[in-house]
């Protein structure tokens, strides 16, 4: 079992997300990540989906998605050079002035933004790869007592050049 990535171009209509996610739940496939947004054409949305599966199951998923009327195109991103980012917000709570300075140093090293601060808290906004977001969370957990994390799913696009992720 490994994480596989699929991009779907779908009709931008009510109920399409429910049908696609219903396919996964109906077959007991576990979604790791799912993001949806409109494309340059407002009648078409692009879904970026991560699913943990083996090779045989992944081929079944792609075939079933291709059979759906609302699905315009299925793109397997698993072995393709892509650019991928995941949005993450991390609140660091109950911190002293010295700890707040440490949060700012960490933000600078990771290239993330401190978007809000309070007397004893700071909010980081991150647009990193999943791996870098995981590293940031691990570091924050090791240094501070209270953190709160909210993650969005990853978005990905095929690379123009040959650089990967």
């Amino acid at each position: 079992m490994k994480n596989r990535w699929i991009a779907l171009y779908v009709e931008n209509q009510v109920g399409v997300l429910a049908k696609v996610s219903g396919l996964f739940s109906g077959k007991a496939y576990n979604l790791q990540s799912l993001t949806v947004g409109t494309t340059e054409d407002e009648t078409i949305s692009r879904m970026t989906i991560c699913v943990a599966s083996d090779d045989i199951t992944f081929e079944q998923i792609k075939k079933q998605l291709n059979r759906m009327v609302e699905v315009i195109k299925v793109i397997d991103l698993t072995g393709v050079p892509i650019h991928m980012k995941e949005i993450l917000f991390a609140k660091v709570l109950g911190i002293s002035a010295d700890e707040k300075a440490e949060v700012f140093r960490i933000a600078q090293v990771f290239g993330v933004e401190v978007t809000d601060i309070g007397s004893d808290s700071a909010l980081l906004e991150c647009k990193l790869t999943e791996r870098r977001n995981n590293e940031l969370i691990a570091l924050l957990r090791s240094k501070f007592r209270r953190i709160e994390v909210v993650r969005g799913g990853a978005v990905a696009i095929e690379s123009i050049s040959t650089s990967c992720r």
Side-chain angles (χ1 to χ4, degrees), residues 63-101:
K63 286 177 185 173
Q64 289 167 343
L65 288 168
N66 268 311
R67 282 191 224 121
M68 294 180 73
V69 174
E70 300 83 3
V71 174
I72 298 164
K73 186 175 184 180
V74 177
I75 304 167
D76 181 356
L77 299 175
T78 304
V80 175
I82 58 175
H83 294 273
M84 182 181 294
K85 298 290 183 197
E86 174 189 73
I87 191 164
L88 174 139
F89 288 102
K91 275 186 196 175
V92 184
L93 305 160
I95 53 177
S96 66
D98 288 341
E99 289 173 317
K100 198 180 296 181

Side-chain angles (χ1 to χ4, degrees), residues 72-144:
I72 298 164
K73 186 175 184 180
V74 177
I75 304 167
D76 181 356
L77 299 175
T78 304
V80 175
I82 58 175
H83 294 273
M84 182 181 294
K85 298 290 183 197
E86 174 189 73
I87 191 164
L88 174 139
F89 288 102
K91 275 186 196 175
V92 184
L93 305 160
I95 53 177
S96 66
D98 288 341
E99 289 173 317
K100 198 180 296 181
E102 179 67 8
V103 170
F104 275 84
R105 283 191 290 277
I106 291 169
Q108 185 177 18
V109 167
F110 276 82
V112 300
E113 204 175 329
V114 178
T115 56
D116 198 6
I117 57 171
S119 60
D120 68 344
S121 59
L123 176 66
L124 302 176
E125 180 180 323
C126 317
K127 295 173 277 279
L128 303 171
T129 63
E130 179 185 14
R131 182 180 63 79
R132 282 299 276 170
N133 278 338
N134 288 340
E135 291 168 356
L136 175 62
I137 292 167
L139 180 60
L140 292 174
R141 282 187 177 143
S142 74
K143 296 210 172 265
F144 305 104

